[in-house]
Amino acid sequence: MGDTIVHLHKNTDPSPQSATVTTLTVVPDPAPSAPVPLWVRSGRAIRQAVTHENTKTAARAVARHGLYVVGGARIVGRRTWDGKTAARYERFMRAAEAAGNMDAAMEWEERAQRYRDARHRRRMDLLHSPVDAAKGALVTTGMGIGSLVALGVVMAIATKDVTDVVTPLMATVDFINLLMTIVQVVWGPAVSLGPFLALLALWAVGSKQQAAPAWVMPDRVRNGEGEPITPSIVVKALRDLGIPAMRNAIKEMGDAGASMLSPIVIAGCGVEVDVTLPSGVSTNEIQQRRRKLAENLSRHEHEVFITIPTAARTVRLWVADSGALDEPIGPSPLVTDETLTGDYAKGRAPWGQDLRGDAASISLYQRHFLITGLSNQGKTAALRALALWLALDRSVQFLMGDLKGAGDWAMFDGLATVLIQGPTDEHVIEVTEMVESAVDEMNRRLQAPPGTQFPPLIVLVDEAQVAFMCPAVDDEKRPYGGSKAKSRYFTAVRKIHNQGRAVNVLMWQGTQDPTDQNLPKLVREGAHTRASLALGTESQARMALGDKAVDGGAAPNLLRPGLDKGTVVVASDGIEIPAGQASITVRTHYISTDDAHAIADRAKALRDGVTTLHAIERGAERDPLADIAAALGDAARVPTTDVLKRLAALNEDAYGTWTNGDLKRVLDAHGAEPYKSDGRMVVARDRVLRALANRDGDGSASAAE
């Protein structure tokens, strides 16, 4: 059957209800496929072989090693030309002129002139050298023959054989003949192998300098992965930044821009180099092109840091090894060394590592502290690490408010005098009153006798933006949040910032996602140490660290959220910052919650026992007349303005907003009116005491009735 296929189907169901049925199906026979021509199959095979990755790799390898020889010849030729001419001096002179350094240009010009004079003297000496060489050869030959003859005479006398007179001469002739024979034997192979050895030497030079186009290099090199930072790579990256003045200056420099660079030194997990910019190029132009510079260096943006050192018109580049910043750092010494203790006055808290890989420690002595960043970037862990170190100094006291309330600070229960945890408005009110109690303590310390020593009191509020944004108001319509003069939390923080440092009352705050509303300008500028994790914008970076730090190269907004957790940019005089820089980047140690509890237990063992309050007890109702009497003290008369100040110091919450009208209203109600004395309104002590006695007497009589 040429064009059909017959299928025979038979029903084999054994059931009696099923009849035997045979079905004959005829289907067309598929048409046979046409054979593929041989030339098509051969073409496909050739194309597959040519385009195969192994073929491309082999072709690139052959081309690469051949071009190494060409590049090596070019390098050797340039070196030879530089050694025989004054081209090197000319390059340095043009580079100095392009950089605007005329003193250096004149110095190189003088060196070039000295080189030309020395070269001229050498060439003039060559005119007389053949005659001198011939004379020297004749003298040397004559002396040599004479010496050999004298030696032969001595031998003849010793052996009494006249023929020994020429024995040394003949030995010398035989030796020369042997040398000529050796040369004849070696000369042929040397002439044959010489070109190959020369090519091998050129290949070695070209291979070492990677003197081949990028398209023939291995994939790893072409992609820039792990590419070492060399002067030529740095200069090329700067040239391609798109700054015309930079590009033109490098073209005019005879050394192709190498004179702009300081020696490249290893700095931790990367390298560091200072770049002296040519005239017409400003440092901020380089800072604004950080991403492009990083890509030109075959790095990610977060792997290149640009800072401004002390030298004028200079930028300092720190370039990380590829992927080095993604590797974790070691554990905190607080975890690994159980004998470690804190020292508030003289010690430094171990916080992490800088980009060089050196330990980064920070002094907390009499410094208000502010740390900010986006949510979930490690802010609480970084702040808690410092508090845990201070807790290992038994003299340090803590007042703590955690306005997140997730238990991140629970280990300080038994260490802190007050520990408030929670996100509600009621918690904000309690935290505000806690900070105000610290203000009262600060005022008490300020009024103590000079020379009195006070233990450190750390007032720590985490998630402080919740307090600034709290809408609650008190009975006198004073808001707890906000940044106005009557805002209670803002006012208390500002008072501690203004005078607390002198008596060791310090304000520590942690906030997230800073704005002018949740982190007022006066508060953030009151901190001596300012640290920032990853942020979203440059304006937020300026809020967090200040304009000086950001203008100097600090860029927390360029940190990678989620990937650079725990990495902080710090502006403070309490941490060692390289000369000329306004900030330093620190990769902080992460201390887990379990480890934090263990460290806190060690801190508790250093103390006799601390009872922690978890709420602020509201004060009893004030007695204004009794407080006025207490404020007067033993003085017969006190000006009303001084009475108001003393009342505010006695209880800021009750009398901080009192005016002369409030004072007069209370005194008039009890018959102890202020009066004028020597042109000033005063309060008489005897009147107040009499009014107080009369009031108490009336109260006793009423109770007796």
Side-chain angles (χ1 to χ4, degrees):
M1 300 177 64
D3 57 350
T4 60
I5 299 177
V6 177
H7 297 281
L8 185 63
H9 304 280
K10 184 176 181 181
N11 188 0
T12 59
D13 190 352
S15 61
Q17 292 83 6
S18 175
T20 301
V21 179
T22 301
T23 305
L24 183 64
T25 305
V26 180
V27 297
D29 188 11
S33 57
V36 179
L38 179 61
W39 65 270
V40 174
R41 293 198 301 270
S42 301
R44 290 175 180 174
I46 294 173
R47 184 181 64 181
Q48 183 177 2
V50 170
T51 59
H52 195 274
E53 188 61 33
N54 292 340
T55 305
K56 293 181 180 179
T57 302
R60 280 200 302 266
V62 172
R64 178 169 67 253
H65 292 288
L67 290 172
Y68 278 162
V69 176
V70 177
R74 185 174 65 253
I75 294 172
V76 171
R78 187 187 303 115
R79 291 175 180 175
T80 304
W81 177 258
D82 288 344
K84 297 296 183 181
T85 67
R88 179 180 304 172
Y89 301 96
E90 295 289 343
R91 285 202 306 271
F92 285 129
M93 185 167 58
R94 288 196 299 271
E97 289 176 350
N101 192 345
M102 303 310 297
D103 293 337
M106 294 179 63
E107 181 181 354
W108 284 113
E109 185 177 11
E110 293 176 1
R111 292 186 180 184
Q113 187 59 42
R114 289 197 297 269
Y115 171 81
R116 293 188 183 97
D117 293 341
R119 183 180 60 184
H120 177 71
R121 287 193 298 270
R122 289 194 301 270
R123 289 177 177 176
M124 295 302 296
D125 292 340
L126 288 176
L127 298 177
H128 306 286
S129 59
V131 177
D132 296 338
K135 291 180 179 179
L138 290 174
V139 172
T140 302
T141 302
M143 293 178 63
I145 293 174
S147 299
L148 292 173
V149 171
L151 179 61
V153 171
V154 173
M155 292 177 61
I157 294 173
T159 60
K160 299 179 182 181
D161 187 356
V162 178
T163 59
D164 285 342
V165 173
V166 296
T167 298
L169 289 174
M170 296 307 297
T172 303
V173 171
D174 292 340
F175 178 71
I176 294 174
N177 187 37
L178 176 62
L179 290 179
M180 294 182 65
T181 302
I182 293 173
V183 169
Q184 289 175 353
V185 173
V186 174
W187 180 256
V191 171
S192 302
L193 295 176
F196 295 101
L197 295 176
L199 290 176
L200 181 61
L202 295 177
W203 175 88
V205 173
S207 175
K208 184 177 181 180
Q209 298 293 328
Q210 299 274 299
W215 62 270
V216 300
M217 304 302 289
D219 291 338
R220 181 182 60 83
V221 178
R222 286 190 291 122
N223 297 334
E225 181 182 350
E227 185 178 8
I229 300 300
T230 62
S232 60
I233 289 176
V234 176
V235 172
K236 185 176 182 298
L238 294 169
R239 184 196 66 192
D240 297 339
L241 280 181
I243 304 175
M246 173 76 78
R247 183 175 59 252
N248 295 335
I250 292 176
K251 286 181 179 179
E252 293 175 2
M253 294 180 184
D255 62 348
S259 61
M260 298 191 306
L261 308 182
S262 70
I264 298 177
V265 296
I266 296 176
C269 58
V271 296
E272 189 174 78
V273 59
D274 285 354
V275 181
T276 302
L277 303 178
S279 178
V281 182
S282 62
T283 55
N284 67 329
E285 289 183 284
I286 305 298
Q287 288 179 310
Q288 292 170 0
R289 291 168 170 81
R290 176 183 173 186
R291 174 176 294 181
K292 191 170 185 178
L293 177 62
E295 292 173 350
N296 290 348
L297 294 169
S298 300
R299 295 295 190 272
H300 296 291
E301 185 177 11
H302 71 277
E303 294 176 328
V304 175
F305 288 82
I306 306 172
T307 54
I308 310 299
T310 53
R313 212 173 66 223
T314 302
V315 295
R316 178 168 295 160
L317 306 181
W318 185 86
V319 185
D321 298 334
S322 293
L325 294 183
D326 297 328
E327 298 293 331
I329 64 173
S332 170
L334 294 175
V335 177
T336 58
D337 186 0
E338 295 186 356
T339 64
L340 186 66
T341 58
D343 187 346
Y344 164 76
K346 299 179 181 179
R348 287 178 172 268
W351 208 15
Q353 294 180 0
D354 62 16
L355 296 179
R356 291 172 170 266
D358 299 329
S361 57
I362 184 170
S363 172
L364 304 172
Y365 177 67
Q366 292 190 343
R367 290 177 176 89
H368 301 302
F369 192 92
L370 171 67
I371 184 170
T372 185
L374 298 178
S375 177
N376 195 31
Q377 297 305 309
K379 167 180 55 63
T380 297
L383 183 61
R384 188 175 64 188
L386 299 180
L388 287 169
W389 179 79
L390 269 187
L392 294 174
D393 182 345
R394 60 178 301 170
S395 67
V396 178
Q397 302 173 359
F398 293 97
L399 300 178
M400 289 188 166
D402 175 14
L403 293 177
K404 180 166 59 177
D408 293 333
W409 297 90
M411 68 288 303
F412 280 86
D413 191 354
L415 285 174
T417 306
V418 177
L419 176 59
I420 299 169
Q421 302 178 88
T424 67
D425 290 348
E426 181 62 27
H427 291 103
V428 172
I429 293 172
E430 292 182 346
V431 167
T432 301
E433 293 174 349
M434 177 192 76
V435 178
E436 289 174 339
S437 70
V439 174
D440 294 338
E441 172 63 15
M442 177 190 71
N443 291 333
R444 184 190 68 80
R445 294 183 178 189
L446 289 170
Q447 298 175 39
T452 304
Q453 298 296 319
F454 300 103
L457 175 61
I458 307 299
V459 186
L460 189 152
V461 179
D462 195 12
E463 305 296 341
Q465 76 279 355
V466 177
F468 286 112
M469 300 300 291
C470 178
V473 296
D474 62 12
D475 296 337
E476 298 180 4
K477 304 301 182 183
R478 295 178 59 197
Y480 287 93
S483 58
K484 297 182 179 179
K486 290 186 177 181
S487 300
R488 293 180 58 177
Y489 180 80
F490 170 79
T491 302
V493 171
R494 285 295 300 145
K495 288 180 178 179
I496 295 178
H497 278 174
N498 290 338
Q499 297 178 303
R501 184 192 64 83
V503 289
N504 287 331
V505 178
L506 303 178
M507 192 74 209
W508 287 18
Q509 295 183 97
T511 69
Q512 69 179 31
D513 201 10
T515 65
D516 283 327
Q517 289 71 38
N518 64 26
L519 187 59
K521 185 174 186 294
L522 292 177
V523 170
R524 59 183 186 249
E525 291 186 351
H528 302 99
T529 297
R530 300 166 72 172
S532 175
L533 296 106
L535 289 172
T537 64
E538 182 180 327
S539 62
Q540 287 183 317
R542 293 184 180 275
M543 292 180 192
L545 300 177
D547 292 336
K548 180 180 179 181
V550 175
D551 291 339
N557 53 300
L558 297 181
L559 295 175
R560 302 167 298 168
L563 297 177
D564 290 324
K565 278 187 176 182
T567 300
V568 296
V569 183
V570 187
S572 171
D573 61 350
I575 191 170
E576 186 176 350
I577 297 178
Q581 296 180 202
S583 64
I584 187 172
T585 302
V586 177
R587 303 172 69 196
T588 61
H589 295 295
Y590 173 70
I591 300 177
S592 67
T593 302
D594 292 340
D595 290 334
H597 277 280
I599 298 170
D601 290 340
R602 291 180 1 224
K604 293 172 186 177
L606 299 175
R607 289 168 164 78
D608 296 331
V610 177
T611 301
T612 300
L613 298 178
H614 296 280
I616 298 297
E617 297 179 358
R618 302 295 194 273
E621 189 70 25
R622 305 298 303 188
D623 184 349
L625 189 61
D627 287 342
I628 292 173
L632 293 175
D634 297 331
R637 295 186 303 271
V638 178
T640 54
T641 54
D642 291 344
V643 174
L644 290 173
K645 292 180 181 178
R646 296 180 184 182
L647 287 172
L650 181 64
N651 192 300
E652 175 70 22
D653 191 23
Y655 304 115
T657 59
W658 265 33
T659 64
N660 286 319
D662 297 322
L663 179 62
K664 185 175 184 301
R665 173 176 51 79
V666 172
L667 293 174
D668 288 348
H670 294 84
E673 301 86 350
Y675 63 94
K676 184 172 290 187
S677 174
D678 296 331
R680 300 179 66 186
M681 295 299 295
V682 298
V683 179
R685 179 173 176 269
D686 57 349
R687 291 188 181 186
V688 175
L689 293 179
R690 188 185 312 116
L692 192 59
N694 292 337
R695 187 194 67 179
D696 293 343
D698 294 342
S700 299
S702 300
E705 293 176 357

